[in-house]
Amino acid sequence: MIVDLPSTTTSQVNKKMVELRESGGAVALGRVLTLVIVTGDGTETEEAIQAANEASREHPARVIVVAKGARQAAARLDAQIRIGGDAGASEVVVLRLYGPLAEEGAGSVVPLLLPDAPVVVWWPNDAPEFPAKDPIGELAHRRITDAAAEPDPIEALRTRVRSYVDGDTDLAWTRLTSWRALLAASLDLPPFEPIEGAVVSGESDSPSTDLLAGWLAASLGIPVRREVHRGPGIVSAVLERPSGNVEVVRPDGKVGYLTQPGQQDRRVTLHRRAVRDCLAEELRRLGPDEIYESTLRGLSNVVRGEGYENEEQAEPVSAGQQ
């Protein structure tokens, strides 16, 4: 069911939601969190709602979408309530803000937050430079960005390093889960030798490739070289050790090949993860992600190879930004 409320107020939206609930609609008591999505008022809005609907099947939530429209228009709030089949396992409230209201999203969100429920804010693209200092970000226990969706993904990743505080995360990091699990599992097999170095290659504008290199540098305390290779995304990761290298190569963005001495070569599934899967994974964690933080620190220890002569190293996280 979809209910449109043009030129409305948040109090009228709340009143309508109560009416729908009393008539057999969504039950707010079954929601485990409030997910706030901040987007522009365009096609990206529906894409984000669809991803949230899919993720809500694992994490029932109230989804509040803040879609910022034209700033030059007259101040107006158009709302839409979605429940039932149009909202997955959630109840979705879409707030389209125009004029001066477009910059006052936090004031429109607060009256609609579930009481005593964690708040997660997700910027599918165009995240603020300091998410934790953003008016809506200040409401959140967890803040999710996506460097890969920014116009300049690598610069966006550098910004994440400078702005990090506990509770921040990025979907470019979440996309690494399969790679991290595979590389960690490969070291559980003989020969049990120390890793002396590593090389990670991928597209020049792939923030996930940079983060994989930073994770290896931070976790293993080894020199890591980041090289450019035509993608998609991450192409390969090589762990160097005396008896022979551990190599994971994914040339097509779908199937990877794991090669290591004394073991049979294996094909492994390493498809590029959908946004809905990454979002669902991030909603499982509401506390600080210490591994992500150490990975951001590790970026300063990654050496860039050919094609990066004019690139600056990522800045480390300062003590005041922990």
Side-chain angles (χ1 to χ4, degrees):
M1 177 189 297
I2 298 179
V3 178
D4 290 311
L5 299 171
S7 298
T8 187
T9 64
T10 53
S11 61
Q12 291 174 336
V13 174
N14 251 328
K15 181 179 178 181
K16 189 64 176 180
M17 293 180 71
V18 172
E19 292 176 3
L20 293 172
R21 193 175 307 124
E22 291 178 346
S23 64
V27 181
L29 295 179
R31 309 307 176 200
V32 299
L33 57 87
T34 302
L35 174 62
V36 182
I37 304 173
V38 184
T39 74
D41 186 19
T43 56
E44 67 269 21
T45 301
E46 290 301 323
E47 294 172 358
I49 292 174
Q50 183 60 38
N53 286 347
E54 294 293 332
S56 73
R57 302 187 189 281
E58 182 177 339
H59 310 278
R62 172 175 289 180
V63 179
I64 303 173
V65 183
V66 180
K68 298 183 178 183
R71 273 63 168 177
Q72 295 78 21
R76 189 175 85 253
L77 165 60
D78 292 343
Q80 186 179 79
I81 302 172
R82 305 183 187 185
I83 59 175
D86 295 296
S90 299
E91 51 188 4
V92 178
V93 183
V94 183
L95 305 176
R96 290 187 166 86
L97 306 176
Y98 301 95
L101 289 179
E103 301 301 332
E104 301 295 334
S108 300
V109 167
V110 171
L112 300 173
L113 297 178
L114 290 175
D116 302 321
V119 178
V120 179
V121 177
W122 173 35
W123 291 270
N125 43 50
D126 294 329
E129 184 175 356
F130 290 88
K133 296 181 180 180
D134 180 81
I136 296 180
E138 289 179 340
L139 303 173
H141 299 78
R142 190 90 164 136
R143 294 165 295 276
I144 304 173
T145 54
D146 190 353
E150 300 278 357
D152 187 340
I154 302 303
E155 181 56 36
L157 183 59
R158 292 195 180 100
T159 300
R160 305 289 182 266
V161 175
R162 295 191 294 267
S163 66
Y164 178 83
V165 298
D166 287 348
D168 288 356
T169 191
D170 196 279
L171 295 188
W173 165 247
T174 322
R175 294 185 183 99
L176 292 179
T177 299
S178 298
W179 282 85
R180 292 166 56 208
L182 180 60
L183 289 169
S186 70
L187 300 183
D188 290 335
L189 300 173
F192 303 106
E193 298 177 326
I195 305 301
E196 300 176 337
V199 181
V200 178
S201 65
E203 289 180 297
S204 61
D205 62 349
S206 167
S208 292
T209 305
D210 280 32
L211 287 169
L212 182 58
W215 173 68
L216 290 171
S219 301
L220 299 176
I222 58 173
V224 178
R225 189 166 70 256
R226 191 337 190 163
E227 295 188 345
V228 176
H229 195 292
R230 183 170 297 177
I234 306 170
V235 175
S236 67
V238 179
L239 304 181
E240 301 169 341
R241 57 185 185 184
S243 65
N245 297 340
V246 176
E247 299 185 15
V248 179
V249 181
R250 185 190 66 174
D252 61 357
K254 298 178 181 178
V255 178
Y257 300 87
L258 172 62
T259 303
Q260 56 189 133
Q263 302 289 331
Q264 187 175 8
D265 292 355
R266 288 186 290 165
R267 294 181 63 188
V268 291
T269 300
L270 278 178
H271 62 276
R272 304 186 76 188
R273 303 182 69 194
V275 170
R276 63 177 182 272
D277 297 328
C278 295
L279 181 62
E281 179 179 330
E282 286 299 341
L283 293 180
R284 296 181 199 131
R285 174 193 290 270
L286 294 177
D289 188 340
E290 295 85 358
I291 306 302
Y292 174 59
E293 179 185 4
S294 66
T295 295
L296 292 178
R297 290 177 175 274
L299 288 172
S300 62
N301 297 322
V302 174
V303 177
R304 297 189 180 278
E306 294 183 5
Y308 284 107
E309 291 83 354
N310 297 322
E311 295 280 349
E312 296 179 355
Q313 294 288 342
E315 298 178 26
V317 182
S318 67
Q321 297 167 335
Q322 296 180 26

